Amino acid sequence: MLQPSPWRADFPAVAALHRQHQTYLDSAATAQKPQAMLDALARYYGGGAANVHRAQHVPGALATQAFEATRSALAAWTGGGEAQQFIFTHGATSALNLLAYGLEHGFEAGDEIAVSALEHHANLLPWQQLARRRGLRLVILPIDAQGRIDLEQALQLIGPRTRLLAVSQLSNVLGTWQPLAPLLAHARAQGALSVVDGAQGVVHGRPDLHQLGCDFYVFSSHKLYGPDGVGVLYGRQPALAHLKHWQYGGEMVHLAGYHEASFRPAPLGFEAGTPPVAGVIGLGATLAYLNGLDLSAVAAHEAALHRALCEGLVAREGVRLLGDPQVALASFVVDGVHTADIAHLLTEQGIAVRAGHHCAMPLLEQLGLGGAIRVSLGLYNDGDDLARFFDAFDHALALLR
């Protein structure tokens, strides 16, 4: 018998969705928000919104203080070092594009970029397009049957011409943790920079960026129970020095004239224009909320839910899991049944899951699939959610077979 989620009441949207007869199982796409975050947004907007860093008036000073407090909170929360190593963007995709353009000057024709075969489009297309612009070789690291990067082959493919390694920490399709430690160490030994897409991983395992040892780490606020429109880019100090400015405007300027200008270093030099002030402040409130949780209890709750999800799926005839999911989510197909039909019938019964290619078209193509159903979990889900899902799923299968 699965225990109820002790944190469910902290997320008012979950109760609101329940009143609408909706069961939300799509947290890998975006998570619901805690009341603490909603309160922070209401205080900021209701108490007087202002831009940051530029104004000397009291509202501007208070906004700047709250904004920069989130940067400090991120440094403490991730063990990443100094607050100035964290750049705010408008999403993880924005952060990865910042890296692709900001590092472009360091590549020469014939250099190599290594990415894995399971990457989200956000951690594939920026590097793919950089390779096209600069005449680079994009090396695809294969995965094994369990859905993990094949370490033996990867270590052979990452060589002296590799200038950058970009890999996900946790697959958004397969739910598998990737073998980052040996990959990052080997890339470093080859003189390559490393980028880790932590958009999924940061939610289900609080990162220690100092121990992880990557050059850059990227994640989005909205999957981490925070506001949307906010991304976080962490960089080691030596790695940040490699970045060239790629967007220009207010805030990032040091001195400007009509014919020339100089620009600030990280982080402000890479935060051109008005940043997502409210979102960053809301993210700070979310981090404070998460800091107050018993992380071992959260992990145990999520593990029990995930185990029940996977066991329930494989117990049903014709259901095939993709890979060997370890945490948070499971993607699957059903023999002889189209995923769109299953998704349609689940939606009609108020079950919110994700169907399609999950922004990983090359991976699904490699698996010989046109799409898959993904069920993903948040800390607010409980056994009743899974019971409703399986009831609806069984009803859909009975109609479609």
Side-chain angles (χ1 to χ4, degrees):
M1 182 70 178
L2 292 171
Q3 296 297 316
S5 168
W7 312 284
R8 193 175 180 93
D10 297 341
F11 295 81
V14 177
L17 289 167
H18 187 69
R19 290 193 295 271
Q20 301 166 42
H21 307 290
Q22 298 294 311
T23 299
Y24 191 77
L25 295 168
D26 195 21
S27 292
T30 199
Q32 301 304 321
K33 316 307 177 189
Q35 186 65 52
M37 190 217 83
L38 303 177
D39 291 342
L41 293 182
R43 283 194 301 270
Y44 169 70
Y45 282 123
N51 214 324
V52 293
H53 300 131
R54 308 175 203 181
Q56 294 182 352
H57 51 64
V58 171
L62 292 175
T64 300
Q65 183 180 24
F67 183 91
E68 291 299 329
T70 299
R71 215 187 298 270
S72 297
L74 281 167
W77 196 74
T78 61
E82 301 296 325
Q84 301 308 300
Q85 293 175 255
F86 291 84
I87 297 168
F88 292 119
T89 68
H90 293 280
T93 299
S94 174
L96 290 161
N97 277 276
L98 184 162
L99 290 174
Y101 282 100
L103 295 172
E104 181 171 349
H105 66 97
F107 292 89
E108 297 179 354
D111 286 345
E112 296 177 355
I113 298 174
V115 301
S116 85
L118 52 74
E119 296 307 315
H120 188 285
H121 293 162
N123 199 33
L124 168 65
L125 300 184
W127 311 118
Q128 176 197 90
Q129 296 303 308
L130 171 57
R132 291 169 63 90
R133 291 195 304 271
R134 301 288 288 189
L136 313 177
R137 180 168 176 255
L138 191 66
V139 176
I140 308 301
L141 308 178
I143 59 174
D144 60 23
Q146 286 71 45
R148 300 176 187 87
I149 297 170
D150 187 311
L151 194 55
E152 182 178 353
Q153 293 191 61
L155 296 182
Q156 294 176 355
L157 290 169
I158 300 168
R161 291 307 303 269
T162 305
R163 295 291 175 265
L164 185 135
L165 167 69
V167 289
S168 291
Q169 185 179 25
L170 176 66
S171 169
N172 74 302
V173 177
L174 306 175
T176 45
W177 293 104
Q178 299 307 310
L180 292 187
L183 286 170
L184 297 176
H186 184 67
R188 190 181 311 114
Q190 302 299 315
L193 292 170
S194 57
V195 177
V196 172
D197 177 358
Q200 299 293 335
V202 73
V203 184
H204 302 286
R206 180 167 166 174
D208 184 332
L209 296 181
H210 178 73
Q211 182 179 12
L212 186 60
C214 58
D215 291 299
F216 298 102
Y217 187 90
V218 169
F219 66 93
S220 53
S221 164
H222 73 100
K223 297 183 192 297
L224 189 62
Y225 308 106
D228 52 16
V230 179
V232 176
L233 167 59
Y234 158 82
R236 290 195 312 114
Q237 290 290 8
L240 288 172
H242 286 281
L243 287 177
K244 293 279 182 125
H245 298 90
W246 78 300
Q247 286 185 324
Y248 301 90
E251 190 62 52
M252 53 84 66
V253 172
H254 176 233
L255 294 171
Y258 283 116
H259 301 291
E260 61 181 25
S262 60
F263 310 108
R264 298 179 185 273
L268 296 186
F270 296 91
E271 296 176 358
T274 297
V277 179
V280 168
I281 292 172
L283 173 59
T286 300
L287 293 176
Y289 168 76
L290 294 174
N291 264 329
L293 303 183
D294 181 340
L295 296 184
S296 61
V298 172
H301 176 74
E302 289 188 345
L305 278 179
H306 187 253
R307 185 166 53 252
L309 170 64
C310 293
E311 289 175 353
L313 287 170
V314 299
R316 283 159 170 81
E317 182 181 356
V319 174
R320 176 161 58 95
L321 289 181
L322 306 191
D324 182 18
Q326 295 171 283
V327 67
L329 61 89
S331 297
F332 65 92
V333 293
V334 180
D335 294 340
V337 182
H338 200 287
T339 56
D341 294 333
I342 299 172
H344 176 73
L345 290 176
L346 289 175
T347 297
E348 283 193 338
Q349 298 174 82
I351 306 299
V353 297
R354 185 59 56 110
H357 53 72
H358 311 294
C359 295
M361 283 186 183
L363 171 61
L364 271 293
E365 183 177 353
Q366 184 180 105
L367 296 174
L369 300 172
I373 303 288
R374 184 184 70 191
V375 178
S376 55
L377 306 167
L379 59 85
Y380 37 67
N381 289 122
D382 60 18
D384 287 343
D385 292 335
L386 290 186
R388 285 189 289 272
F389 162 71
F390 281 120
D391 284 346
F393 185 42
D394 289 339
H395 180 66
L397 292 179
L399 291 175
L400 293 170
R401 284 173 165 166

